[in-house]
Amino acid sequence: MIKRIEIEPIPLTEGHSKLILKVDKNIIVEGFYYALVPVRGFGTMLLDKEATFAPIAASRICGMCQAVHSIATAKAIEDACNIEIPETAQKLRELISLSVRAYNHLLHHILISGNMFKNPQKRHTFIKNVQKIRKTVSSILETVGGGIIHPSNIVIGGISSPIETPVKERLIALIEEAEKLAKEEIEIFIHHIERLWKEQKLPENLGEHKLPFITSKEISNVSIKEIYPQEIFNELPLKREATNTIILINENGAETGVRARKIREERYKPKGGIKELHKLRAEEILLSLKNIKRILETEKLDKETRNKQFPTSDNEKEGVGIVEAPRGVNIHKVKVDKSGKITYYEIIVPTALNMIAIAESLKGEKVEYAEMIVRAYDPCIACSTH
Amino acid sequence: MFGLYRQFTLGRYTKAFIIKASGEASSKNNLKALIKEAFRKDLIDGIIGTSLNKKEGFVSPVFIKCEKEVEKFEPFFFIHGGQNSLLKKITQKYSFEKLGVAGHSCVLDGINKMQYFGIGSNFTVTKFTLKIGIACIGAISLEGIKCLLKEKKVKNPGFNEIFLENNKIILKNKYEKFDFSAKEYYYYLNEGCKVCMNLSSRGSDITFVPSLRNGYSLVLVRSAKALKLFENPGFSVKKAEKSDIEEFESLAKNFLKKNIETILERAEFGIPSNKWDGNRFGRFTALWNNIYAENIEEEVF
Amino acid sequence: MIYSFDNFDKEIKVKLGFFHLSSCSGCQIAFLDMFEELPDILDTVEIAYSNMLTNRKEIPKLNVAFIEGTFSIGFKHHIKLIKEIKEKADIIVAIGGCAAFGGIRRLNVGAQSPQPSHQASIPITELDYLKGKIKYVIPGCPPNPYFLYKFLLALLELNEEFLRPFEHMVFSTFASGYDILMEVVNKGLCTGCGTCICACPTKALEFSKRTQRPTFNKLLCVGCGSCLAGCPQSFKPYPQPVYG
């Protein structure tokens, strides 16, 4: 007999969300994961507002992946208004989004540690360790972006202040220190993940799915369709309860995020399952730090960083800003009119993309693992209810 | 019982010196010597101040990163120039460990408040190590100075120095010196400075008085750390005479009396001087009358 | 004493809860961004409930509940949550510009898929239901981690001197850069020190060299209340640092 189980809230995740599971003999037949935070209306808030306000507002969509939204909206507006930004600014933006990536993955480690440790003291020690690296990564964000949580230096036309050579040298020293700490932290994290799997006798391929993977590189070649909860659910309360939309890629679901990046960039053969996801995410911290160091060491960052052209367009061209956010592809689409006002705004966030991947992963697994599977995707509810 | 006691007008200090830099005798050079000494003694590795930009004719905040840069620094007193607007950038981007500040009482108030509450700038604000307060009789705008000079029918208003001498405010350019009495100067004061009760920058390590008397400027030392500046310094230093202190004190008193009048005037019309504490005037008088009992250092208006 | 903890005992840690209404979670992350100072604080306080940090579904009894984000009118989860918090927490602290003054949520107009009816958003300080329960307001978007650290310390030490201004702010339900113009510049209290420019998280305030005053660009303001709170002329019942 098929039973219906509701789990709400899901602790150790960002925001307020809910799981609805159809269960047969303790095995999930079908699962839905959705957000319960009210729609925050950033898409409509920006309509008929001056384009210069967009990066500031977009940054406030999310307190975790802040800067990637600012960068995406700035890119979209620059695209719509044909503003070319200096190369230095591009590099600095890459630097910011890489540090956001490391910062976010580390934050996820703090959240997930609630699952890994039974003893609060041990968890405390683990968190202390993670905090040390987060501190160094955040000082990079602070230096380049002008703030940790809502960086104010990201403006249309580039970045508002360059990085002088002495500052750059200090950052390199910081990143070297962070790298050392990160190596240790990643080892500890992977060790504990392995231990968790062994202790709880979890299946190796827990949370496997057969969906394709997608990154920002191939997103422009696929069809994107947004579907509403009203279309998915049959029951009435659900239709009006869920506050996030779901994105279909080529009429199908897809996974985006760390695993997709690994597959695209390193031709990695995925084994599937959420344990792999945890490991890859941990490894990506070091990779991001290395990339930050590479940019700092090879690029000249003290040149002109801003094109002060006023953003206006013909109201026809749809500007698209695609950024590879920590959780996957983040897209902002915008149209700007002659007076510099936004006339159309659309946001596609990675968590909305991953909703189907989460649902697919839940299929065929035991009920008690459901929350763990959701957590592994590091869903960001604030983003998905933008 | 109203009384303008020294503890209130000058604040508590441990020692008073008069200092004179080598070279041309001017109060700005004396301040520069003090800053250089702080760099030399490794008390600071960077300092913010306000500098006169002669080209643009503005007073703007500057950030001095090493002893060499002090040479280019043109301190101009009694104009604040938005000094604290630099703070975020300096503390976040440059992340100096030992930051100094040379500013007037309200600039230091801003920093002290930031340090106490933490609003505005992050942890880095704890990195301030040396606060050089500049005794201030009230801020005046560049336009105000222009008007003052026009009143005196001065034809060439180019000026690069302002300081106190003989109870007068002196404006100086390359060729000439113009002096103004407190009364003349007070009219053009910034409205916000007319309610100020902290002329001597009480919340600082050391207060530099931009005065000049035989080439010497008065300095009030408030903390042990600042005392280090006077151990074998690169400028000539003497113990301040009673008359040195009294000269500034009488000028400060003069301004304080006028400020009290303004505060009373505001109180009469119910113009607030403080948003959060509607009874500010009550507090003011209560404290005023208990001058012996209360520790004035703890209260700032 | 401003407030009292039920069954306050030195052995028992002060229990904190973090709640998230309609917001970005940034304020909670700012709390985590205290980095090295966080473990120090965790010795005296316990994070008893936070959806991000604790593996708990029920809300336990709390001493202090930190709420971020605006209350969405008619949204039944918020109604349930607010009722539960009122019952279980001794005091509530509205953390961040949204919860305190509305912040950027003041610009929310709704009409967005998939739930276009989610259009009414108000700061929790506007809720009469919570009058008297909300003791303090923390301005900022997001509040500085250092500020949060100092605030928590003051809360634990019952430092009234520190907390008083934030107690008064409960009665201001709107903030913007106009505050600095209204309360400081207009009232002739501005001295041109530039502290508000440093406090502004969006560069809506900038310094004009010519006039020696802040200039306010209302386009960029998110209404977090930092500028007036940061201004040395707004409130200063703080002791001057004593130098030894």
Side-chain angles (χ1 to χ4, degrees):
Chain A
M1 201 192 89
I2 289 183
K3 269 197 306 184
R4 210 177 101 132
I5 296 178
E6 292 186 12
I7 307 175
E8 183 215 338
I10 319 280
L12 303 176
T13 57
E14 195 279 333
H16 191 134
S17 50
K18 188 171 177 175
L19 261 173
I20 291 212
L21 306 171
K22 282 181 187 160
V23 176
D24 187 17
K25 285 180 198 143
N26 207 28
I27 298 291
I28 301 165
V29 182
E30 207 176 15
F32 287 111
Y33 175 66
Y34 61 87
L36 279 183
V37 173
V39 175
R40 307 213 333 281
F42 276 91
T44 48
M45 180 194 286
L46 282 168
L47 292 181
D48 296 319
K49 295 258 165 27
E50 273 76 353
T52 38
F53 178 57
I56 287 164
S59 161
R60 280 154 180 89
I61 289 174
C62 180
M64 299 166 95
C65 29
Q66 7 62 10
V68 291
H69 286 292
S70 302
I71 296 173
T73 187
K75 269 189 175 175
I77 292 168
E78 283 150 12
D79 184 26
C81 307
N82 298 320
I83 299 175
E84 273 189 30
I85 71 163
E87 213 191 313
T88 318
Q90 257 158 11
K91 291 289 164 202
L92 285 174
R93 280 182 184 179
E94 202 183 327
L95 204 95
I96 293 171
S97 57
L98 282 170
S99 19
V100 170
R101 197 177 288 173
Y103 180 84
N104 255 275
H105 289 349
L106 288 165
L107 202 60
H108 183 241
H109 284 186
I110 292 181
L111 306 196
I112 211 79
S113 68
N115 239 175
M116 293 191 324
F117 301 96
K118 288 240 161 60
N119 181 343
Q121 210 50 49
K122 277 188 182 161
R123 186 183 180 205
H124 198 149
T125 335
F126 176 80
I127 291 180
K128 230 174 166 175
N129 228 337
V130 180
Q131 290 286 54
K132 272 188 208 150
I133 322 168
R134 280 185 68 234
K135 189 174 183 183
T136 39
V137 176
S138 76
S139 55
I140 296 168
L141 257 177
E142 225 178 7
T143 312
V144 186
I148 309 176
I149 288 164
H150 299 308
S152 56
N153 278 0
I154 300 156
V155 286
I156 290 166
I159 295 283
S160 59
S161 88
I163 295 295
E164 294 89 343
T165 315
V167 181
K168 200 168 88 172
E169 275 158 15
R170 186 173 63 83
L171 289 183
I172 292 173
L174 269 178
I175 208 84
E176 274 166 1
E177 192 195 323
E179 254 184 324
K180 239 184 268 161
L181 290 167
K183 262 183 207 152
E184 281 172 39
E185 197 271 341
I186 290 161
E187 249 172 55
I188 295 168
F189 180 80
I190 292 181
H191 163 78
H192 282 299
I193 285 288
E194 294 284 359
R195 181 186 54 86
L196 186 75
W197 249 255
K198 226 181 249 170
E199 266 176 22
Q200 303 199 0
K201 296 198 179 72
L202 301 173
E204 279 297 311
N205 60 348
L206 178 68
E208 211 177 10
H209 66 75
K210 294 196 174 58
L211 294 174
F213 295 90
I214 187 132
T215 67
S216 52
K217 290 210 174 99
E218 56 266 14
I219 197 84
S220 38
N221 307 326
V222 297
S223 80
I224 298 171
K225 194 180 158 200
E226 188 176 30
I227 48 172
Y228 291 8
Q230 284 87 338
E231 297 171 63
I232 309 164
F233 297 116
N234 297 320
E235 303 104 300
L236 188 65
L238 287 182
K239 286 182 194 224
R240 295 184 177 174
E241 200 175 58
T243 52
N244 62 296
T245 55
I246 290 170
I247 305 295
L248 290 186
I249 302 287
N250 289 340
E251 304 291 319
N252 194 1
E255 187 192 310
T256 179
V258 51
R259 183 153 47 194
R261 281 197 288 271
K262 184 94 172 167
I263 292 165
R264 212 57 58 196
E265 278 158 26
E266 299 176 26
R267 295 173 188 279
Y268 175 78
K269 290 249 159 19
K271 282 183 243 149
I274 58 164
K275 187 176 157 191
E276 185 189 30
L277 203 54
H278 279 304
K279 279 185 176 176
L280 290 179
R281 190 174 285 123
E283 281 160 12
E284 207 188 34
I285 296 170
L286 199 62
L287 189 70
S288 318
L289 293 180
K290 274 189 180 140
N291 281 333
I292 296 173
K293 199 174 149 194
R294 180 182 49 81
I295 295 175
L296 284 171
E297 280 173 345
T298 53
E299 306 292 338
K300 276 204 160 166
L301 302 174
D302 53 356
K303 287 184 197 149
E304 181 57 47
T305 54
R306 189 174 177 184
N307 177 355
K308 285 192 173 164
Q309 192 186 327
F310 186 77
T312 53
S313 184
D314 51 5
N315 205 5
E316 295 288 324
K317 191 179 173 187
E318 184 184 89
V320 185
I322 304 171
V323 170
E324 191 66 42
R327 294 170 183 77
V329 195
N330 184 23
I331 310 165
H332 284 229
K333 291 180 187 171
V334 67
K335 277 182 194 166
V336 180
D337 72 3
K338 273 182 190 162
S339 63
K341 283 201 171 130
I342 293 168
T343 51
Y344 166 82
Y345 208 92
E346 200 191 322
I347 306 164
I348 292 170
V349 297
T351 303
L353 259 151
N354 269 338
M355 285 293 179
I356 296 210
I358 293 173
E360 285 294 313
S361 297
L362 288 168
K363 270 183 196 163
E365 302 295 351
K366 285 182 189 164
V367 177
E368 57 262 37
Y369 301 151
E371 284 182 42
M372 212 182 275
I373 292 169
V374 170
R375 270 174 219 139
Y377 282 91
D378 192 11
C380 182
I381 296 304
C383 290
S384 65
T385 59
H386 52 266
Chain B
M1 275 231 298
F2 274 27
L4 282 167
Y5 297 93
R6 184 171 286 179
Q7 198 192 5
F8 188 79
T9 49
L10 298 186
R12 195 191 292 142
Y13 58 90
T14 51
K15 285 220 164 91
F17 295 110
I18 48 172
I19 60 167
K20 184 186 175 186
S22 54
E24 194 195 344
S26 71
S27 65
K28 71 174 182 188
N29 279 348
N30 293 346
L31 177 65
K32 274 157 88 170
L34 205 63
I35 294 172
K36 273 187 206 161
E37 196 63 29
F39 270 112
R40 224 168 285 150
K41 295 225 163 103
D42 208 24
L43 286 173
I44 52 172
D45 56 10
I47 189 163
I48 51 171
T50 39
S51 186
L52 182 68
N53 187 339
K54 275 181 212 154
K55 233 189 215 165
E56 291 179 47
F58 292 134
V59 173
S60 50
V62 284
F63 179 51
I64 302 154
K65 298 187 212 67
C66 59
E67 200 187 322
K68 260 189 212 162
E69 288 180 21
V70 181
E71 279 307 321
K72 274 185 262 165
F73 180 41
E74 289 287 322
F76 194 81
F77 305 115
F78 313 141
I79 293 183
H80 305 314
Q83 212 168 323
N84 284 352
S85 59
L86 278 184
L87 280 184
K88 201 176 199 168
K89 203 173 168 191
I90 290 166
T91 50
Q92 282 185 350
K93 193 169 165 189
Y94 299 107
S95 181
F96 281 85
E97 289 300 322
K98 287 182 281 182
L99 204 56
V101 55
H104 303 90
S105 60
C106 42
V107 170
L108 291 176
D109 271 354
I111 291 172
N112 287 341
K113 184 173 178 181
M114 224 183 253
Q115 285 182 319
Y116 184 65
F117 288 111
I119 308 167
S121 193
N122 214 341
F123 279 103
T124 27
V125 89
T126 53
K127 286 175 180 164
F128 279 100
T129 51
L130 187 74
K131 290 181 202 149
I132 302 177
I134 295 168
C136 170
I137 46 169
I140 189 168
S141 59
L142 288 172
E143 281 301 316
I145 292 176
K146 243 189 223 168
C147 292
L148 257 179
L149 291 168
K150 297 239 160 158
E151 271 184 12
K152 290 230 158 173
K153 302 212 164 67
V154 176
K155 274 183 193 140
N156 178 15
F159 49 85
N160 52 17
E161 239 183 284
I162 185 166
F163 56 91
L164 310 171
E165 194 174 28
N166 281 334
N167 272 336
K168 293 236 160 122
I169 296 97
I170 314 288
L171 270 168
K172 198 177 155 193
N173 66 16
K174 256 186 186 168
Y175 323 97
E176 285 173 285
K177 250 166 83 172
F178 317 104
D179 55 69
F180 304 94
S181 69
K183 206 177 166 191
E184 285 173 302
Y185 184 82
Y186 194 81
Y187 175 76
Y188 288 107
L189 266 198
N190 177 14
E191 217 37 61
C193 297
K194 289 181 183 169
V195 294
C196 179
M197 283 285 131
N198 183 8
L199 302 191
S200 58
S201 294
R202 285 192 288 259
S204 61
D205 291 277
I206 178 171
T207 297
F208 176 84
V209 183
S211 60
L212 208 59
R213 202 184 191 207
N214 306 324
Y216 281 92
S217 299
L218 177 68
V219 179
L220 305 172
V221 182
R222 301 184 197 276
S223 77
K225 197 195 295 161
L227 214 52
K228 276 188 204 153
L229 286 172
F230 301 93
E231 293 163 5
N232 302 320
F235 46 80
S236 63
V237 57
K238 280 191 215 164
K239 224 178 151 205
E241 300 288 324
K242 209 177 156 198
S243 58
D244 290 312
I245 301 169
E246 274 170 0
E247 189 186 312
F248 173 65
E249 198 188 350
S250 71
L251 186 71
K253 261 187 194 174
N254 213 337
F255 274 89
L256 277 175
K257 276 182 208 160
K258 286 188 171 48
N259 286 0
I260 290 165
E261 264 173 43
T262 320
I263 291 177
L264 291 172
E265 213 174 83
R266 274 183 179 244
E268 197 182 346
F269 281 90
I271 302 166
S273 315
N274 185 315
K275 184 183 181 187
W276 309 104
D277 184 354
N279 201 16
R280 183 171 143 129
F281 182 65
R283 264 166 80 81
F284 168 72
T285 47
L287 187 79
W288 202 252
N289 290 323
N290 288 313
I291 195 120
Y292 304 104
E294 291 237 14
N295 184 2
I296 308 300
E297 294 295 306
E298 301 287 312
E299 289 289 341
V300 185
F301 288 96
Chain C
M1 195 133 111
I2 309 168
Y3 59 87
S4 64
F5 292 127
D6 286 352
N7 312 320
F8 189 77
D9 187 331
K10 277 212 167 129
E11 294 294 302
I12 299 169
K13 288 183 177 183
V14 176
K15 285 193 169 71
L16 304 185
F18 281 92
F19 299 92
H20 164 116
L21 298 176
S22 177
S23 78
C24 74
S25 288
C27 300
Q28 227 181 109
I29 312 267
F31 178 78
L32 278 176
D33 283 352
M34 281 195 258
F35 305 117
E36 278 140 21
E37 284 73 8
L38 185 64
D40 293 350
I41 282 208
L42 287 179
D43 289 339
T44 40
V45 303
E46 183 197 336
I47 301 176
Y49 183 88
S50 154
N51 199 47
M52 280 171 87
L53 299 170
T54 57
N55 200 350
R56 211 176 244 152
K57 288 196 167 92
E58 296 296 317
I59 301 171
K61 202 105 180 76
L62 296 167
N63 297 119
V64 186
F66 286 91
I67 303 184
E68 63 159 297
T70 47
F71 175 81
S72 193
I73 295 173
F75 190 64
K76 70 175 200 290
H77 290 277
H78 280 182
I79 295 169
K80 206 179 107 200
L81 188 64
I82 288 285
K83 274 187 182 162
E84 208 171 336
I85 296 170
K86 192 187 177 183
E87 189 193 310
K88 290 192 173 150
D90 290 344
I91 63 163
I92 293 174
V93 177
I95 174 173
C98 298
F101 312 117
I104 193 164
R105 316 284 313 126
R106 288 279 188 205
L107 301 175
N108 180 28
V109 287
Q112 184 175 309
S113 64
Q115 306 297 352
S117 60
H118 293 170
Q119 51 167 319
S121 241
I122 56 167
I124 57 166
T125 45
E126 274 191 44
L127 291 174
D128 258 359
Y129 183 72
L130 293 179
K131 275 259 153 75
K133 200 80 181 171
I134 305 173
K135 268 279 181 235
Y136 306 109
V137 144
I138 303 181
C141 184
N144 271 322
Y146 180 63
F147 177 23
L148 289 179
Y149 171 68
K150 288 286 232 174
F151 185 88
L152 272 175
L153 281 189
L155 202 63
L156 295 173
E157 292 163 359
L158 290 174
N159 181 351
E160 286 187 46
E161 196 82 339
F162 184 102
L163 295 170
R164 196 179 300 128
F166 306 106
E167 207 180 330
H168 279 283
M169 274 187 223
V170 175
F171 305 104
S172 338
T173 49
F174 181 74
S176 79
Y178 278 119
D179 294 344
I180 208 95
L181 300 183
M182 246 166 65
E183 300 297 334
V184 183
V185 180
N186 288 173
K187 302 264 193 305
L189 294 172
C190 183
T191 59
C193 70
T195 314
C196 51
I197 287 109
C198 180
C200 180
T202 62
K203 296 187 177 155
L205 285 167
E206 262 168 79
F207 196 76
S208 157
K209 280 180 205 160
R210 184 169 283 280
T211 57
Q212 298 284 316
R213 292 287 176 271
T215 54
F216 174 52
N217 183 353
K218 66 176 188 294
L219 246 177
L220 304 181
C221 181
V222 292
C224 68
S226 294
C227 46
L228 187 62
C231 175
Q233 300 287 29
S234 66
F235 58 86
K236 27 181 170 176
Y238 59 95
Q240 290 279 338
V242 179
Y243 291 95

